[in-house]
Amino acid sequence: MVSATHLDETLVADVPLSDIGVEDARLDRVGEIVSSAVKWSAAAGLVPFPVLDLVALGAVQTRMLMDLSAVFDKPFGKEAANSIVSVLLGTLIPGAAAGAVVGSALKTAPMVGTLAGMASMAAFGAAATYAVGKVFARHLAGGGRPGDFSAAAIADDLKAEFKRAKRQPAT
């Protein structure tokens, strides 16, 4: 049995989008958007300069949220998407994202530090983007709008998706 919790019209649980009644074409498009963003996020992690990698990751995730919103006919602006990305990444920072900051900082050390930082940031960026994309798409599919998205309501779901994504083999 799949359990779901409704908080202010936000669906959070281990419910696949297909179980929410999202038609196949939309589901396929959501998968394409998230998959593409995951790849671009991994590439953003390979930027050899500290902080620029985090900026690039934020830009990829902002574009992903805007594209996902368009799929569900609920478009919104770049500023609002940036705000949501900031809050979601802030939700991950106390645990896993601290590794991203360390990974970015490692890039200041020549050679080995740069390589280790790039690998760490690529892995973090891909996992975080997957989690953010899945949780946000689930929110939209459940009838939510970008403006009523609550990071507090989905914090546990986001962290669970991030842990799952980190365990997935790279494709």
Side-chain angles (χ1 to χ4, degrees):
M1 180 172 101
V2 176
S3 65
T5 304
H6 289 278
L7 298 171
D8 299 322
E9 300 297 318
T10 301
L11 183 66
V12 291
D14 292 330
V15 179
L17 291 175
S18 58
D19 289 353
I20 301 172
V22 177
E23 64 270 7
D24 288 342
R26 229 180 231 181
L27 190 59
D28 289 345
R29 184 66 187 128
V30 166
E32 291 168 6
I33 290 168
V34 173
S35 178
S36 176
V38 165
K39 292 171 188 168
W40 281 107
S41 292
L46 298 177
V47 171
F49 305 106
V51 182
L52 286 181
D53 52 0
L54 295 171
V55 170
L57 174 62
V60 169
Q61 289 184 354
T62 295
R63 171 54 37 201
M64 176 183 68
L65 295 187
M66 292 173 67
D67 290 347
L68 289 172
S69 294
V71 168
F72 290 95
D73 298 321
K74 299 174 184 177
F76 68 121
K78 184 177 179 181
E79 293 78 23
N82 280 333
S83 177
I84 291 173
V85 166
S86 295
V87 170
L88 291 174
L89 289 178
T91 300
L92 293 174
I93 282 183
V101 174
V102 170
S104 184
L106 279 174
K107 293 179 180 181
T108 60
M111 298 289 256
V112 174
T114 300
L115 294 176
M118 289 167 63
S120 173
M121 277 303 299
F124 168 79
T129 299
Y130 173 82
V132 166
K134 187 166 182 180
V135 168
F136 192 72
R138 191 178 297 135
H139 168 74
L140 295 172
R145 295 180 316 275
D148 64 16
F149 187 75
S150 167
I154 57 85
D156 291 338
D157 194 32
L158 180 65
K159 291 173 186 175
E161 291 296 347
F162 180 76
K163 286 180 184 175
R164 264 188 224 111
K166 284 185 6 181
R167 289 190 299 256
Q168 296 296 322
T171 54

